[in-house]
Each structure stands twice: as structure tokens, then as C-alpha cells.
Amino acid sequence: MSASRFQHDLVIRNVLVVDGSGAPAQRGAVAVDGDRITQLGGDPGPGREDIDGDGLALMPGIIDGHTHYDAQLTWDAFADPSPQVGVTTVVIGNCGFTIAPCRPEDRDLTMRNLTHVEGMSLDALRAGIRWNFESIPQYMDQLAEAGLGPNVAAFAGHSAIRTYVMRDDAPRRVATDEEIARMADIVRDAMAHGALGFASSTNEPHNGENGIPMPSRLADEREMRALVNAMGESGRGLFMLTKGSRTSVPFLESLAAGSGRPVLVAAMFHSNTAPDNVFREIAQMDEACARGHRVYPQVSCCPLTMDFTMHSPYVFEGIEAWYPAMAAHGGDALRAVYADPAFRNEVKAALELLRGKRLFNSEWHLVQVVETARPEHRHYEGRTVESLAAAAGQHPLDWLLDLALAEDLDTLFTAQLRNNDTEGVARLINHPAAHVSLSDAGAHLTFLCDAAFGLHLLGHWSRDLGAISLPGAVHKLTGHPAKLFGIRDRGVLRAGAFADLLLFDPATVGRGPNRRAYDLPAGAPRLTAAPGGVPGGWGNRRRAAHPAGALADAPRAGRMLREFAA
């Protein structure tokens, strides 16, 4: 066939087209020219790249609205593994944990905070981050100039802004009026240069080095209002918050009302010990929306499961009684804290008092020993801490700490923390206003990897359980977040939209098992995800994922997104 006979750059024919709108799927074809879809349905004629998708389905690329790739993107333009698991657009800066703005003299402080709150290797960050920026616009420019695998949209991050203005005082006190004014100016500048919105956290487990709260947790009401309103002055954007127990939905509604902008609230998980709490708060959000004040929940379709050792057990770190362990500088100091009966008793009392209110809620039957460091303890592997402690006649906390101390804190545990109830999670993901996301991709690298959350929604929840229709699941991953974030011409399959595409097999799509890789800078380890049933993906028409290829061989076809609908 001569070149003159090709009518399109790319044609994918004979597929089940699930267009991202929530409408019923239709069998047909999609044609692409340049970076845009030019024909949907009918016979588009031959393409230079022509794919017969017999038995397969085609949808828009997944938009992952809750990632933490801010540091990784400076050394890994592809945000591995997201493109391989169907993601074509990532939103960074969530929770306000960004690396810009940052003065050169504060870089190490910023990295040390990330190692704790986001479970990252300090050696990897020191070896990997390319610091060719100071301001938020300079950071976005650096990413764009280096080239990107996926499309990227960036929040302006509260903790980084607070550190830039207040330096060492950022995690220690409330801000002065002058400091708040300077922070607000940084937010305005970020919005003027294409930030998606403003992100923050008031969540108790979000602590930096030595258990010091992340800076945003020190913000008072006047600071929060001033910064959200500064974002709203642009006439667009949204406020993203990972809320803590002291941040009420009525307060968040008042921020939405004052700024005129939506508020997106993370992390709305289902808890076995307090199953009604999440639905009570979502009902408050619905009431706010009915009054014209947009407050939306951000939910997950994955169980919140974390691997951990007692070197840095994130699952316990939202408990105030745990702070002596966080303040210890490892080694003998940390072991002494763990061995202290007074520390243990205070933690036990706190766990009972806070049952149903924190990340870990004394569900010891959901904590397992994964891997022991000493051969004589191998028989503990695969068993729950609750059962092992009962057999030894001990409190589960004492048993866990004793084992960890006997193994120099190297024992690997896993905890199922939230989203374990099928009926409860199904209610969350089907709520009309719920944004399904919370992958945390790029963070918690040593003990969590939910980057393939979208494939899990398509496979487990839609195909296997029938809890959500296939068009509904696709809409939750594509058209819904595109509208929420104001991302133009993405998240849908229609003529004129960008060609962000995911080809998948409805019969086999799903997330594969996580595996441990040692490919971060300085050889640091991470968990990474594998796709199931994904023959290919395209970002802006360029191949982003292919079963036979590696991300390093893919084109840098992504865009730094800076223009959003109001």
C-alpha cells in the first residue's frame, strides 16, 4: 500500500468503544491524526498504524488524580509504572507535598520531610532530584523542557510554600499576617503560570522528620482561608485537602463558599471499626453541594494495605503516643523506646481511646508477619499478629515489638488498614460525586503501590463483582476526573479530543501482583505494579505502553498541562 492511500495516522478498528461519558459501549472504530481523534465510528479507511482490536475494548487513558511523582519526575520523565498500567495523565502536588518552591539551602530539609511523610529513600532523593528550579513556575518549566511521558498537572503545595516563606518555623508555629500575604502571592503566581489549584493536608499521620508535623498542619483558619481565596481569585482551580479528624466538612464548605471554587477531600476510606463515619461525612458534602458549595469526596477502589518494618512504621505514626519513637534517631535510641514498658502502655491506651479514629484501629487480625529476618522465626510467616500473640499470652503490641526487637527491627509486616468491606467500598465508588483515585503513586515506595488502581476498578469491581458497569467504571477513571479538574479535551473519545487511549481486554484486564525492584537512584528499592490485559496505550497518539516494550523506549509525548476550564 502506498503512503498516499493512508487516510489517517492511526486507526483502531473493530473494538468495543467505551467513550468515557458513561454512555453504553458501542462496537466501532477510532481514527487519529496528529495528536487528536478525527473520526469515531463508521469506516475510517486505512491508517499508517492500523490495529484490528477484535475482542478488545478502547477507552480514554486513565487520569490518576492523586499521585506524588513530584520528585520522581525530575529523574524519571515517564512516572514509572503509571503509563504501563493505562495512565496517560497524572496529577502531582497532592496533600501539598511538593518540592517547589524551594530555596537551595532548604533542599535537604525538603527531602528529609519527604522520606518520612511519603516513605521515600533519602539516598534516592539526594542522588536523583535535579534541582534546576526554585519557584513553582520554574519547576513546571523544567519538567516541560525535559520532556514527559504522561501528561502532568500540578497543584501548588502548601507545605513547600510555607517552608519557603517561614523556613525553620514552618512546622512550629502559626504564620503572621505578613507571612500569610507572602504565601498568598506565591499561590497567585502559581495559578497565573498554570497550576491546577492549591493542595494541603491537616491529616495527623502526615509528619516530617523526627515526628514534626508537616508544615501545613500548623496553618490556622485565617491562613487556610487566605490561600484558598488567593487561588480562587484566578477564577479557576480547586482546593485539594487530605483532611484530619479536626477538619470538619462544614469548615470546608465555608472555604468553597468563600473562594467560589470546589474542594476535593481525601482520603475517604471505609473503616471496619467505624463503618458509618465516611458516609456521614459524604452526606454532609452532598448537602453542601445542594447549597451550591462544591465539596467532593476522593475515594479509593483498592484496599489500603501497607507493608512496614518497625524501623519506620507509618501505620502507627498518627498516634500522639507514638511520637517518642518518631523522635528517636534510629538504632539504640529507637530500640530503647520500643522496649520501654511505659511507652508500650501509653500506646495501648491510645489505641483503645482512638479506636475508629486513626489509620490503624487495633485490628490485629488484619496485621500479618510477611517475612522474618531469622530462620528460627520462619514459622511465623503468613500468620496474624493477633493469633500469634494469643498463643503466647501477650498483648499484640507487645508481641509485635518483641519480635521486631529480636530481629533488629527487620521483620516485614503487612496491615490491611481500610477498604476491606466489599459492600462499603462499592457504595463509595458508585457515589455520583466521588472521585475514584488515591493511588499515591510515587510515594510510600517501599510499602505501597496502587498505581494500577484503574485496572483494578475495571477488572475486580466491574467484571468480577459487577458492582459497577463497564461504562460507569471507565467514566470514573476518565470523563469524571477530566471534568472535575477542568482538563480540556481529555477523558473522552470524540472527534477533536486528544488521542489519549487505552486498549484493553475486558476478559483479562486487572492489576498484576506488585514486585520489588531496586531501580531507584542509588539502587534504592520500591514496589512497582504490572498490568494485566493491556495490549497498548497511547498518549497524544504516541505509544505510551506496549507489552513488548519498555518505558525507556517510549516517546516523551506528554504535556505539562497549564490551561484548565473554569
Side-chain angles (χ1 to χ4, degrees), residues 236-275:
R236 61 167 189 83
L238 73 163
F239 173 46
M240 180 274 156
L241 177 75
T242 300
K243 72 183 291 297
S245 61
R246 296 181 180 88
T247 313
S248 71
V249 174
F251 170 66
L252 298 179
E253 179 183 356
S254 74
L255 294 180
S259 66
R261 302 309 307 159
V263 175
L264 181 61
V265 186
M268 307 304 290
F269 287 107
H270 182 270
S271 168
N272 293 339
T273 55

Short mmCIF file of all heavy atoms in Angstrom, two decimals, residues 236-275:
data_model
loop_
_atom_site.label_atom_id
_atom_site.label_comp_id
_atom_site.label_asym_id
_atom_site.label_seq_id
_atom_site.Cartn_x
_atom_site.Cartn_y
_atom_site.Cartn_z
N ARG A 236 -10.52 30.00 38.60
CA ARG A 236 -10.47 28.57 38.27
C ARG A 236 -9.68 27.85 39.36
O ARG A 236 -9.25 28.46 40.33
CB ARG A 236 -9.83 28.33 36.90
CG ARG A 236 -8.40 28.81 36.80
CD ARG A 236 -7.69 28.29 35.57
NE ARG A 236 -6.26 28.60 35.63
CZ ARG A 236 -5.37 27.88 36.28
NH1 ARG A 236 -5.76 26.80 36.96
NH2 ARG A 236 -4.09 28.21 36.28
N GLY A 237 -9.49 26.55 39.16
CA GLY A 237 -8.72 25.76 40.11
C GLY A 237 -9.59 25.16 41.19
O GLY A 237 -10.77 25.50 41.36
N LEU A 238 -9.00 24.22 41.94
CA LEU A 238 -9.71 23.62 43.07
C LEU A 238 -8.75 23.43 44.23
O LEU A 238 -7.53 23.37 44.05
CB LEU A 238 -10.38 22.31 42.69
CG LEU A 238 -9.54 21.06 42.45
CD1 LEU A 238 -10.44 19.83 42.50
CD2 LEU A 238 -8.85 21.12 41.10
N PHE A 239 -9.33 23.37 45.41
CA PHE A 239 -8.56 23.16 46.63
C PHE A 239 -8.63 21.69 46.98
O PHE A 239 -9.71 21.14 47.17
CB PHE A 239 -9.14 24.01 47.76
CG PHE A 239 -8.53 23.75 49.11
CD1 PHE A 239 -7.14 23.66 49.26
CD2 PHE A 239 -9.33 23.61 50.23
CE1 PHE A 239 -6.58 23.41 50.51
CE2 PHE A 239 -8.77 23.38 51.49
CZ PHE A 239 -7.39 23.28 51.62
N MET A 240 -7.46 21.05 47.05
CA MET A 240 -7.39 19.63 47.41
C MET A 240 -6.84 19.54 48.83
O MET A 240 -5.80 20.12 49.14
CB MET A 240 -6.45 18.90 46.43
CG MET A 240 -6.28 17.42 46.69
SD MET A 240 -4.97 17.07 47.88
CE MET A 240 -5.53 15.48 48.49
N LEU A 241 -7.55 18.81 49.70
CA LEU A 241 -7.13 18.66 51.08
C LEU A 241 -7.20 17.21 51.52
O LEU A 241 -8.21 16.54 51.33
CB LEU A 241 -8.02 19.48 52.01
CG LEU A 241 -7.68 19.34 53.51
CD1 LEU A 241 -6.41 20.12 53.84
CD2 LEU A 241 -8.82 19.80 54.38
N THR A 242 -6.12 16.73 52.13
CA THR A 242 -6.18 15.48 52.87
C THR A 242 -6.51 15.86 54.31
O THR A 242 -5.68 16.41 55.02
CB THR A 242 -4.86 14.71 52.78
OG1 THR A 242 -4.59 14.42 51.40
CG2 THR A 242 -4.94 13.40 53.55
N LYS A 243 -7.74 15.57 54.71
CA LYS A 243 -8.26 16.10 55.96
C LYS A 243 -7.88 15.24 57.15
O LYS A 243 -7.69 14.03 57.02
CB LYS A 243 -9.79 16.28 55.90
CG LYS A 243 -10.58 14.98 55.93
CD LYS A 243 -12.08 15.24 55.80
CE LYS A 243 -12.67 15.91 57.00
NZ LYS A 243 -12.59 15.10 58.24
N GLY A 244 -7.80 15.90 58.29
CA GLY A 244 -7.61 15.20 59.54
C GLY A 244 -8.90 15.17 60.33
O GLY A 244 -9.93 15.69 59.91
N SER A 245 -8.83 14.61 61.52
CA SER A 245 -10.04 14.44 62.32
C SER A 245 -10.59 15.78 62.82
O SER A 245 -11.77 15.87 63.16
CB SER A 245 -9.75 13.53 63.51
OG SER A 245 -8.74 14.10 64.35
N ARG A 246 -9.75 16.82 62.84
CA ARG A 246 -10.21 18.11 63.34
C ARG A 246 -10.67 19.05 62.23
O ARG A 246 -11.02 20.20 62.50
CB ARG A 246 -9.09 18.77 64.16
CG ARG A 246 -8.70 18.00 65.42
CD ARG A 246 -7.60 18.72 66.20
NE ARG A 246 -7.23 17.99 67.40
CZ ARG A 246 -6.32 17.04 67.44
NH1 ARG A 246 -5.66 16.72 66.34
NH2 ARG A 246 -6.03 16.41 68.57
N THR A 247 -10.66 18.59 61.00
CA THR A 247 -11.10 19.43 59.88
C THR A 247 -12.51 19.01 59.50
O THR A 247 -12.70 17.93 58.93
CB THR A 247 -10.16 19.29 58.67
OG1 THR A 247 -8.81 19.37 59.11
CG2 THR A 247 -10.44 20.37 57.65
N SER A 248 -13.48 19.82 59.79
CA SER A 248 -14.88 19.43 59.57
C SER A 248 -15.33 19.74 58.16
O SER A 248 -14.81 20.66 57.50
CB SER A 248 -15.79 20.16 60.56
OG SER A 248 -15.87 21.53 60.24
N VAL A 249 -16.32 19.02 57.70
CA VAL A 249 -16.91 19.30 56.40
C VAL A 249 -17.57 20.68 56.38
O VAL A 249 -17.43 21.41 55.37
CB VAL A 249 -17.90 18.19 55.99
CG1 VAL A 249 -18.62 18.56 54.69
CG2 VAL A 249 -17.15 16.86 55.83
N PRO A 250 -18.28 21.12 57.43
CA PRO A 250 -18.80 22.50 57.40
C PRO A 250 -17.72 23.56 57.20
O PRO A 250 -17.95 24.55 56.50
CB PRO A 250 -19.49 22.63 58.77
CG PRO A 250 -19.94 21.24 59.09
CD PRO A 250 -18.82 20.36 58.57
N PHE A 251 -16.55 23.37 57.81
CA PHE A 251 -15.46 24.32 57.58
C PHE A 251 -15.03 24.29 56.11
O PHE A 251 -14.82 25.34 55.49
CB PHE A 251 -14.27 24.00 58.48
CG PHE A 251 -13.02 24.77 58.13
CD1 PHE A 251 -12.97 26.14 58.29
CD2 PHE A 251 -11.90 24.12 57.64
CE1 PHE A 251 -11.83 26.87 57.97
CE2 PHE A 251 -10.76 24.83 57.31
CZ PHE A 251 -10.72 26.21 57.48
N LEU A 252 -14.91 23.10 55.53
CA LEU A 252 -14.52 23.00 54.13
C LEU A 252 -15.58 23.61 53.22
O LEU A 252 -15.27 24.23 52.20
CB LEU A 252 -14.26 21.54 53.77
CG LEU A 252 -13.11 20.88 54.54
CD1 LEU A 252 -12.96 19.43 54.12
CD2 LEU A 252 -11.81 21.63 54.34
N GLU A 253 -16.85 23.44 53.60
CA GLU A 253 -17.92 24.10 52.83
C GLU A 253 -17.73 25.62 52.86
O GLU A 253 -17.94 26.30 51.85
CB GLU A 253 -19.28 23.72 53.36
CG GLU A 253 -20.41 24.39 52.58
CD GLU A 253 -21.80 24.10 53.11
OE1 GLU A 253 -21.94 23.30 54.05
OE2 GLU A 253 -22.77 24.69 52.56
N SER A 254 -17.34 26.15 54.02
CA SER A 254 -17.15 27.60 54.10
C SER A 254 -16.00 28.06 53.20
O SER A 254 -16.05 29.17 52.65
CB SER A 254 -16.89 28.01 55.56
OG SER A 254 -15.59 27.67 56.00
N LEU A 255 -14.97 27.22 53.03
CA LEU A 255 -13.88 27.56 52.10
C LEU A 255 -14.38 27.55 50.66
O LEU A 255 -14.01 28.42 49.86
CB LEU A 255 -12.73 26.57 52.26
CG LEU A 255 -11.97 26.58 53.59
CD1 LEU A 255 -10.86 25.53 53.56
CD2 LEU A 255 -11.39 27.96 53.88
N ALA A 256 -15.21 26.57 50.32
CA ALA A 256 -15.78 26.53 48.98
C ALA A 256 -16.67 27.75 48.73
O ALA A 256 -16.64 28.35 47.65
CB ALA A 256 -16.57 25.23 48.79
N ALA A 257 -17.45 28.12 49.74
CA ALA A 257 -18.34 29.27 49.59
C ALA A 257 -17.55 30.57 49.46
O ALA A 257 -17.86 31.42 48.62
CB ALA A 257 -19.29 29.35 50.80
N GLY A 258 -16.50 30.71 50.27
CA GLY A 258 -15.73 31.94 50.25
C GLY A 258 -14.90 32.14 49.00
O GLY A 258 -14.73 33.26 48.52
N SER A 259 -14.37 31.05 48.47
CA SER A 259 -13.48 31.13 47.30
C SER A 259 -14.23 30.97 45.99
O SER A 259 -13.72 31.35 44.92
CB SER A 259 -12.41 30.05 47.38
OG SER A 259 -12.99 28.75 47.26
N GLY A 260 -15.43 30.38 46.05
CA GLY A 260 -16.17 30.08 44.83
C GLY A 260 -15.62 28.91 44.06
O GLY A 260 -16.02 28.66 42.92
N ARG A 261 -14.70 28.15 44.68
CA ARG A 261 -14.05 27.06 43.98
C ARG A 261 -14.36 25.72 44.67
O ARG A 261 -14.65 25.68 45.87
CB ARG A 261 -12.52 27.24 43.95
CG ARG A 261 -12.06 28.53 43.29
CD ARG A 261 -12.67 28.76 41.93
NE ARG A 261 -12.48 27.62 41.04
CZ ARG A 261 -13.22 27.37 39.96
NH1 ARG A 261 -14.24 28.16 39.65
NH2 ARG A 261 -12.96 26.34 39.20
N PRO A 262 -14.27 24.60 43.93
CA PRO A 262 -14.54 23.29 44.53
C PRO A 262 -13.46 22.90 45.53
O PRO A 262 -12.31 23.34 45.44
CB PRO A 262 -14.51 22.34 43.32
CG PRO A 262 -14.60 23.20 42.11
CD PRO A 262 -14.01 24.51 42.49
N VAL A 263 -13.86 22.08 46.48
CA VAL A 263 -12.94 21.48 47.45
C VAL A 263 -13.00 19.98 47.27
O VAL A 263 -14.08 19.38 47.28
CB VAL A 263 -13.33 21.86 48.90
CG1 VAL A 263 -12.43 21.14 49.90
CG2 VAL A 263 -13.24 23.38 49.10
N LEU A 264 -11.85 19.36 47.07
CA LEU A 264 -11.73 17.91 46.89
C LEU A 264 -11.11 17.33 48.15
O LEU A 264 -10.00 17.71 48.53
CB LEU A 264 -10.87 17.60 45.66
CG LEU A 264 -10.66 16.12 45.31
CD1 LEU A 264 -11.98 15.44 45.01
CD2 LEU A 264 -9.71 15.99 44.13
N VAL A 265 -11.82 16.40 48.79
CA VAL A 265 -11.45 15.94 50.13
C VAL A 265 -10.95 14.50 50.10
O VAL A 265 -11.68 13.58 49.72
CB VAL A 265 -12.64 16.06 51.10
CG1 VAL A 265 -12.19 15.72 52.53
CG2 VAL A 265 -13.25 17.45 51.05
N ALA A 266 -9.71 14.31 50.51
CA ALA A 266 -9.14 12.98 50.67
C ALA A 266 -8.92 12.76 52.18
O ALA A 266 -8.85 13.72 52.95
CB ALA A 266 -7.82 12.88 49.91
N ALA A 267 -8.76 11.57 52.63
CA ALA A 267 -8.88 10.33 51.87
C ALA A 267 -10.06 9.60 52.48
O ALA A 267 -10.03 9.20 53.63
CB ALA A 267 -7.60 9.52 51.99
N MET A 268 -11.10 9.44 51.68
CA MET A 268 -12.37 8.93 52.19
C MET A 268 -12.39 7.41 52.05
O MET A 268 -12.88 6.86 51.06
CB MET A 268 -13.54 9.59 51.44
CG MET A 268 -13.49 11.11 51.42
SD MET A 268 -13.40 11.86 53.07
CE MET A 268 -15.04 11.48 53.67
N PHE A 269 -11.85 6.73 53.05
CA PHE A 269 -11.80 5.27 53.08
C PHE A 269 -12.92 4.73 53.97
O PHE A 269 -13.39 5.40 54.90
CB PHE A 269 -10.47 4.78 53.65
CG PHE A 269 -9.30 4.95 52.73
CD1 PHE A 269 -8.34 5.93 52.98
CD2 PHE A 269 -9.14 4.13 51.62
CE1 PHE A 269 -7.24 6.07 52.16
CE2 PHE A 269 -8.04 4.28 50.78
CZ PHE A 269 -7.09 5.25 51.05
N HIS A 270 -13.30 3.48 53.73
CA HIS A 270 -14.25 2.79 54.60
C HIS A 270 -13.48 2.10 55.71
O HIS A 270 -12.46 1.45 55.49
CB HIS A 270 -15.04 1.75 53.79
CG HIS A 270 -16.07 1.03 54.60
ND1 HIS A 270 -15.81 -0.13 55.29
CD2 HIS A 270 -17.37 1.32 54.84
CE1 HIS A 270 -16.91 -0.52 55.91
NE2 HIS A 270 -17.87 0.33 55.65
N SER A 271 -13.97 2.25 56.94
CA SER A 271 -13.33 1.65 58.11
C SER A 271 -14.25 0.59 58.71
O SER A 271 -15.44 0.85 58.94
CB SER A 271 -13.03 2.72 59.17
OG SER A 271 -12.67 2.13 60.41
N ASN A 272 -13.70 -0.59 58.98
CA ASN A 272 -14.50 -1.64 59.60
C ASN A 272 -14.92 -1.27 61.01
O ASN A 272 -16.00 -1.69 61.47
CB ASN A 272 -13.69 -2.95 59.65
CG ASN A 272 -13.43 -3.52 58.27
OD1 ASN A 272 -14.13 -3.20 57.33
ND2 ASN A 272 -12.42 -4.36 58.16
N THR A 273 -14.09 -0.52 61.72
CA THR A 273 -14.39 -0.21 63.11
C THR A 273 -15.34 0.98 63.26
O THR A 273 -15.94 1.15 64.31
CB THR A 273 -13.10 0.08 63.89
OG1 THR A 273 -12.38 1.13 63.23
CG2 THR A 273 -12.23 -1.16 63.96
N ALA A 274 -15.46 1.81 62.23
CA ALA A 274 -16.40 2.93 62.25
C ALA A 274 -17.02 3.05 60.86
O ALA A 274 -16.77 4.00 60.12
CB ALA A 274 -15.68 4.22 62.64
N PRO A 275 -17.84 2.06 60.47
CA PRO A 275 -18.29 1.95 59.09
C PRO A 275 -19.18 3.08 58.61
O PRO A 275 -19.28 3.33 57.40
CB PRO A 275 -19.04 0.62 59.06
CG PRO A 275 -19.44 0.37 60.47
CD PRO A 275 -18.34 0.96 61.30
#
